[in-house]
Amino acid sequence: MLTLKLNTGHAIPAIGMGCWMGKPTPTQDNPETYEMVKECLSVGYRHLDTAYGYGNEQAVGKAVRDSGVPREEIFVTTKLTNEHHGCVQRGFQSSLDALGISYIDLYKYAKPEGTVLLSWAVQRGWTAVPKTVNPKRMRDNFDIFTLDQEDFEALLRVHEEPGKLLHLCNYEQGDIRKTKMIFGWSLEDMGWENLD
């Protein structure tokens, strides 16, 4: 498993699995997230990215506990949500309680962003956290390659194009929902089959 070093000296798996399931889950019972997390852990993922705002931290934590993978081998990221900006400690404790695990590896400020192309992100030294429930796509996400310089630079400059964000796409504008393509890849190739 390829890892990157954080400024704390700790290692973080370069490829993780995002646990956003396309919509917040208002109930504690969330079998879709639970099964997705158990499956991704069984195929080798060791980095999970969830958030209080997803409404699925309980399912993520239960899947971690039920997976049979030692907790210290799993890197769990969750996020501070808007409602907790004025009470960070309470937000952290809410996430820790919902996850039902002994610690959170990374607690970060959440902001909306598009998914970064995996190989490009890893080549830049970033962690990549794609979101999919497709078991084949989970395995395929590990097929990282080195982009040639021309492709790398093109992706680096995409934010300069009108209507694009630094995060590679502005799917909230609806453009890729119509074309079903981004940078020549289908939404299914990107693991975005449940974008709607």
Side-chain angles (χ1 to χ4, degrees), residues 58-132:
Q58 289 174 325
V60 171
K62 181 172 177 22
V64 166
R65 293 188 307 275
D66 293 351
S67 71
V69 178
R71 171 63 186 95
E72 62 273 8
E73 293 181 18
I74 304 170
F75 193 99
V76 177
T77 298
T78 193
K79 301 168 201 75
L80 175 70
T81 59
N82 290 337
E83 73 179 81
H84 291 124
H85 283 184
C87 49
V88 175
Q89 188 172 358
R90 186 173 63 197
F92 178 86
Q93 191 63 50
S94 294
S95 288
L96 187 61
D97 292 346
L99 285 161
I101 56 179
S102 55
Y103 60 94
I104 294 169
D105 296 278
L106 179 62
Y107 189 61
K108 64 184 188 178
Y109 168 72
K111 63 184 176 74
E113 58 185 61
T115 303
V116 179
L117 300 174
L118 300 178
S119 294
W120 182 77
V122 171
Q123 193 169 336
R124 287 188 53 96
W126 294 351
T127 60
V129 185
K131 295 152 176 52
T132 186

Side-chain angles (χ1 to χ4, degrees), residues 153-192:
E153 293 296 328
L155 291 174
L156 189 62
R157 290 189 310 273
V158 76
H159 70 283
E160 298 170 358
E161 297 175 29
K164 299 294 182 187
L165 297 177
L166 179 59
H167 304 297
L168 300 183
C169 72
N170 188 356
Y171 64 86
E172 293 171 344
Q173 298 298 313
D175 54 341
I176 68 171
R177 289 177 198 240
K178 292 177 186 169
T179 65
K180 305 292 186 195
M181 299 289 290
I182 178 142
F183 303 112
W185 294 1
S186 74
L187 296 184
E188 186 173 281
D189 289 339
M190 295 296 293
W192 294 356

Side-chain angles (χ1 to χ4, degrees), residues 30-50:
N30 187 334
E32 183 181 23
T33 301
Y34 175 82
E35 292 301 326
M36 184 273 297
V37 171
K38 281 198 65 181
E39 177 70 21
C40 78
L41 290 170
S42 77
V43 300
Y45 282 85
R46 293 300 180 263
H47 179 186
L48 302 171
D49 181 277
T50 188

Side-chain angles (χ1 to χ4, degrees), residues 1 15-17 40-41 43-47 137-138 141-142:
M1 169 73 58
I15 303 292
M17 180 55 63
C40 78
L41 290 170
V43 300
Y45 282 85
R46 293 300 180 263
H47 179 186
R137 183 63 196 161
M138 288 178 191
N141 286 343
F142 288 117

